[in-house]
Amino acid sequence: MTHVVITGTGLYTPEHAIDNAALVAAFNAWVDSDNDIHAEAIARGEREPLAYSSSEFIEKASGIKSRYVLDAEGILDPQRMRPKLPQRNNDEPSIQCEMATAAALQALAAAQVDAADIELVIVACSNLERAYPAVAVEVQQALGTSGYGFDMNVACSSATFALETAANAIVSGSVKRALVVNPEVCSAHLNFRDRDSHFIFGDACTAVVLENSAIAKADECFEILGTRLITKFSNAIRNNTGFLNRVTDSDPLALDKLFVQEGRRVFKEVCPMVAKLITDHLASLELSGSDLKRMWLHQANQHMNDLIARKVLGHDPSVTQAPIILDRYANTSSAGSIIAFHLHRDQLEAGDIGVICSFGAGYSAGSVVVRRH
């Protein structure tokens, strides 16, 4: 029987960071400007004044204290409030290819694998910067990998869905080694003028090398004991941007072309779904929550993670059992659970078991149970 192991991970972190105080200052400056513009309508009672945001509100609501972004200047400009990323020529590396390559080189080095030995590249993320050619094929060329590559999008669950896809390709024998990369430019689809969500996202890219255990030579390996995926349609998290916008004559700058969500509904519906997914998955492997040494959960909201971990473990999780990285990185969509895995696994011993779990729009959720060799 073929066993699949994770032998290396990598992380690209943008150089620009924005803490809550700076983000709030820009938001509140825009609020003052907008309220001044509509002062007469507000005075007549025809329009409600916009409310300030605050660092305390953000941290209480989410646990987020800061985030990394590809461009801070454009986001913090009250007249713009979106990143400014210059358009690149077709013969230049794309933004996501650049991010993916940086993370992938780290993962390959950790796995002690040459790029030419990778036979499958999957670029999996919540938003791709173009429809075609596939970013994965561009990454394949940039790294010099063999075989084939393709893009996939399952929003915040893209990483775990891609891990299962790559693992299945190895088990089937079609490839021996695969690379999964998650280049998330979340700041580009966030409405920084929405008080309820302007603080949610950050940018980052993760990479994971998977191999047939028979040929792995890395110092550290995590065997994939099993994967399980689930989807359930919901409009509670949505982004309506797409190539049909121009033929439906819809406004390309309309708010629905950015990230929108019903936060309370998402919390209520997703948490029990994810807890059940993990619990049922563990049971199918003749395991239980008490067997887990680590839960590397999707990093969207600390309250969600605490509740899911509590339901699975049967008690409040310690910071070691369910590590949080969203305080520094914010929500990086599919990259979040992999960042947690990348940064918080050193203390595990041989035989220790953990679960990588992501969840988000769709709804979608993926569970990957691993054991350290």
Side-chain angles (χ1 to χ4, degrees):
M1 181 179 177
T2 300
H3 297 279
V4 180
V5 289
I6 293 172
T7 54
T9 59
L11 170 62
Y12 165 77
T13 300
E15 61 182 83
H16 301 286
I18 302 175
D19 63 16
N20 287 346
L23 192 70
V24 165
F27 180 86
N28 290 349
W30 169 74
V31 166
D32 284 337
S33 175
D34 194 79
N35 284 342
D36 286 345
I37 292 172
H38 300 98
E40 293 184 4
I42 291 171
R44 293 192 300 267
E46 298 170 358
R47 182 186 180 97
E48 289 293 323
L50 297 175
Y52 283 159
S53 184
S54 72
S55 296
E56 295 76 17
F57 159 69
I58 293 172
E59 191 168 346
K60 182 179 180 180
S62 65
I64 296 169
K65 299 178 182 179
S66 186
R67 71 283 298 143
Y68 293 96
V69 294
L70 293 180
D71 174 68
E73 185 177 357
I75 293 170
L76 296 179
D77 178 357
Q79 302 304 312
R80 181 179 176 86
M81 299 187 77
R82 63 184 187 276
K84 189 170 186 178
L85 305 175
Q87 183 171 322
R88 300 188 178 192
N89 296 326
N90 288 349
D91 56 356
E92 293 181 286
S94 67
I95 294 171
Q96 288 183 314
C97 177
E98 223 168 51
M99 297 169 71
T101 301
L105 289 174
Q106 292 180 29
L108 290 167
Q112 301 177 39
V113 169
D114 292 331
D117 293 327
I118 296 291
E119 300 168 292
L120 166 62
V121 176
I122 304 176
V123 166
C125 56
S126 59
N127 281 270
L128 292 156
E129 62 181 282
R130 63 173 183 265
Y132 47 81
V135 176
V137 179
E138 183 184 7
V139 173
Q140 178 189 18
Q141 175 177 273
L143 290 173
T145 68
S146 59
Y148 64 103
F150 59 88
D151 297 341
M152 64 185 295
N153 177 353
V154 201
C156 292
S157 297
S158 295
T160 50
F161 276 61
L163 288 177
E164 182 187 77
T165 302
N168 286 344
I170 294 172
V171 170
S172 73
S174 62
V175 304
K176 295 182 178 66
R177 296 183 179 92
L179 173 69
V180 171
V181 285
N182 317 106
E184 294 288 6
V185 191
C186 300
S187 62
H189 63 97
L190 178 58
N191 180 3
F192 285 97
R193 292 176 173 171
D194 177 17
R195 182 178 181 271
D196 290 336
S197 66
H198 75 110
F199 53 86
I200 290 179
F201 287 113
D203 302 329
C205 180
T206 49
V208 180
V209 172
L210 301 90
E211 302 183 71
N212 183 322
S213 62
I215 59 172
K217 54 187 178 182
D219 297 329
E220 177 189 67
C221 294
F222 283 81
E223 181 184 353
I224 295 179
L225 300 181
T227 59
R228 180 168 291 194
L229 312 176
I230 187 173
T231 55
K232 179 181 179 181
F233 184 74
S234 170
N235 274 316
I237 310 172
R238 194 173 178 103
N239 181 324
N240 285 331
T241 190
F243 77 98
L244 289 179
N245 294 159
R246 64 183 293 270
V247 296
T248 57
D249 296 328
S250 59
D251 180 3
L253 300 180
L255 296 183
D256 75 316
K257 304 304 186 292
L258 299 171
F259 167 84
V260 292
Q261 76 166 355
E262 300 174 46
R264 291 180 179 83
R265 179 182 164 196
V266 171
F267 189 98
K268 181 180 179 181
E269 295 176 350
V270 169
C271 288
M273 181 184 81
V274 173
K276 186 176 188 303
L277 170 70
I278 297 173
T279 301
D280 290 351
H281 188 199
L282 290 171
S284 72
L285 299 170
E286 299 183 350
L287 298 169
S288 67
S290 62
D291 294 307
L292 293 178
K293 287 294 194 296
R294 198 77 88 245
M295 298 183 71
W296 300 285
L297 299 175
H298 174 51
Q299 303 287 312
N301 182 289
Q302 185 164 351
H303 303 300
M304 294 184 74
N305 284 17
D306 289 345
L307 178 57
I308 291 168
R310 190 181 309 121
K311 286 179 174 291
V312 173
L313 298 172
H315 57 80
D316 289 335
S318 68
V319 293
T320 301
Q321 284 178 303
I324 294 293
I325 57 90
L326 67 85
D327 55 341
R328 290 177 292 146
Y329 280 84
N331 182 347
T332 52
S333 193
S334 68
S337 59
I338 307 301
I339 296 175
F341 178 69
H342 176 77
L343 295 177
H344 294 280
R345 66 174 192 260
D346 289 345
Q347 296 178 346
L348 295 182
E349 300 176 352
D352 283 348
I353 294 172
V355 61
I356 302 169
C357 182
S358 58
F359 42 89
Y363 296 127
S364 60
S367 170
V368 181
V369 177
V370 298
R371 178 173 58 206
R372 179 163 184 166
H373 273 194

